[in-house]
Amino acid sequence: PDVVAVLDTGFDHVDLQVNPLYLRGRYRKLSRGVPQTRWPCRRCRGKGCARCGGTGKMYPTSVEEVIAAEVMRESGGTGHALHGMGREDVDARMLGRGRPFIVEIKEPRKRRIDLNAAVRRMNTSGIVEVDQLTPATGADVVALKEDRAAKTYRVLLRTVPPVDEAKLKGTLPVLVGEPIAQRTPGRVVHRRADTIRARRLLSAEVVGVEGDRAELRVTAEAGTYIKEWVHGDGGRTRPSLAERLGAACEVLELDVLDVHDGG
Ligand SMILES: [Zn+2]
């Protein structure tokens, strides 16, 4: 049910529980520098300060805010959340077919809304594109979060000293399928437990090499830290591409090209 009336006969009143509105789709994120979900300012925790220019946020907008704003324009509501099948880094684009998500609107005033109109407006943002919105449930959120979909990435990297194409092409196949031990990256260990996870690459190929730049296409198991696999994270990820090449590797650009969900 959308709304549940709870009668408390002892106190002579009725509480209305308005269930959230859930809508699912796939999003593409066309800009770098946009987080998936609203990111409160680290210093003021949302109240507004000099660091965040009074916005209370680390970034002006997010995938969540673009999507939720257009749904709530139709549905009303008191709050929102975005549940993604994993998340890309703030500076990574999400391309290809997009990433499955479910947007949750709390206490909507209206449920029968013009979904196509909402999608059309999202897609004029220049930041986020959504394929379509269809009704979902709270149970769908659980299934979405449990999906262990492999991801395919485009990686643009710089090698120091420059590594030639032949060496890259000889090294990548050796790394595919080899167990990777990834200690929680230095960049996230302040907010996550410091553990070691085992992951694997499913495929890796060289797209092109120009001077000290190389472009790769890499498919990895869910939860693989790709940047760390490239540069090694000071030895926290082993083996890494940098370690095997004997060269420092810097990730210049990272894009998610596909999320292989549903199988
Ligand atoms: Zn602030």
Side-chain angles (χ1 to χ4, degrees), residues 192-203:
R192 291 205 194 139
D194 193 2
T195 58
I196 295 176
R197 52 170 80 170
R199 292 293 187 273
R200 276 182 321 130
L201 297 190
L202 304 174
S203 70

Side-chain angles (χ1 to χ4, degrees), residues 41 44 48-49 52 56:
C41 173
C44 67
C49 69
C52 59

Side-chain angles (χ1 to χ4, degrees), residues 40-57:
C41 173
R42 237 176 236 144
R43 189 200 278 176
C44 67
R45 296 206 171 83
K47 282 182 298 200
C49 69
R51 174 181 176 163
C52 59
T55 63
K57 300 187 289 187

Side-chain angles (χ1 to χ4, degrees), residues 32 93 152-156 215-216 253-255 257:
R32 303 185 195 283
R93 294 182 298 180
T152 297
Y153 300 87
R154 168 187 168 269
V155 187
L156 181 67
E215 186 178 332
L216 312 180
E253 290 179 7
L254 183 69
D255 295 318
L257 299 181

Side-chain angles (χ1 to χ4, degrees), residues 20 32 38 40 52 83 87-88 116 132-133 142 171 181 183 192 205 208 219 221 240 246 253-254:
R32 303 185 195 283
R38 188 180 186 280
C52 59
H83 310 284
R87 69 169 70 210
E88 66 283 343
N116 292 331
Q132 59 174 349
L133 288 174
V142 177
T171 303
R183 227 177 123 187
R192 291 205 194 139
E205 61 201 63
T219 300
E221 289 183 330
S240 68
E253 290 179 7
L254 183 69

Side-chain angles (χ1 to χ4, degrees), residues 6-23:
V6 180
L7 272 75
D8 187 335
T9 49
F11 290 91
D12 198 27
H13 71 246
V14 179
D15 282 335
L16 287 184
Q17 287 174 12
V18 180
N19 290 330
L21 170 64
Y22 296 101
L23 297 168

Side-chain angles (χ1 to χ4, degrees), residues 20-252:
L21 170 64
Y22 296 101
L23 297 168
R24 74 187 312 157
R26 302 180 81 103
Y27 75 80
R28 305 190 336 134
K29 190 179 90 185
L30 308 175
S31 302
R32 303 185 195 283
V34 178
Q36 184 189 61
T37 53
R38 188 180 186 280
W39 192 334
C41 173
R42 237 176 236 144
R43 189 200 278 176
C44 67
R45 296 206 171 83
K47 282 182 298 200
C49 69
R51 174 181 176 163
C52 59
T55 63
K57 300 187 289 187
M58 297 291 283
Y59 296 90
T61 191
S62 60
V63 174
E64 173 184 0
E65 288 162 276
V66 171
I67 291 174
E70 297 304 346
V71 173
M72 288 175 74
R73 194 203 288 254
E74 310 259 347
S75 68
T78 57
H80 53 74
L82 188 102
H83 310 284
M85 188 180 284
R87 69 169 70 210
E88 66 283 343
D89 289 337
V90 170
D91 59 0
R93 294 182 298 180
M94 177 66 238
L95 305 175
R97 296 182 301 147
R99 184 185 298 275
F101 72 91
I102 295 176
V103 62
E104 173 179 351
I105 307 297
K106 300 181 201 307
E107 301 188 283
R109 288 196 313 275
K110 237 178 101 184
R111 284 166 196 279
R112 316 265 176 273
I113 63 173
D114 188 343
L115 296 175
N116 292 331
V119 168
R120 274 198 301 276
R121 285 197 307 270
M122 288 167 201
N123 292 351
T124 63
S125 67
I127 299 170
V128 175
E129 277 181 11
V130 170
D131 61 341
Q132 59 174 349
L133 288 174
T134 57
T137 66
D140 292 333
V141 173
V142 177
L144 183 92
K145 301 302 276 185
E146 282 174 354
D147 197 295
R148 308 300 298 153
K151 320 285 189 314
T152 297
Y153 300 87
R154 168 187 168 269
V155 187
L156 181 67
L157 63 114
R158 176 162 58 206
T159 53
V160 182
V163 172
D164 64 34
E165 189 160 353
K167 185 166 183 186
L168 260 175
K169 284 188 165 162
T171 303
L172 284 181
V174 181
L175 282 163
V176 171
E178 226 181 289
I180 307 167
Q182 292 205 296
R183 227 177 123 187
T184 303
R187 65 188 164 100
V188 300
V189 76
H190 65 278
R191 56 190 163 90
R192 291 205 194 139
D194 193 2
T195 58
I196 295 176
R197 52 170 80 170
R199 292 293 187 273
R200 276 182 321 130
L201 297 190
L202 304 174
S203 70
E205 61 201 63
V206 181
V207 176
V209 176
E210 236 187 88
D212 62 353
R213 309 283 166 107
E215 186 178 332
L216 312 180
R217 180 185 286 250
V218 177
T219 300
E221 289 183 330
T224 308
Y225 293 109
I226 290 297
K227 288 176 181 170
E228 281 68 21
W229 170 76
V230 172
H231 59 60
D233 200 20
R236 295 172 73 91
T237 288
R238 297 199 66 193
S240 68
L241 183 61
E243 176 188 340
R244 290 297 167 85
L245 291 173
C249 296
E250 180 192 359
V251 176
L252 302 175

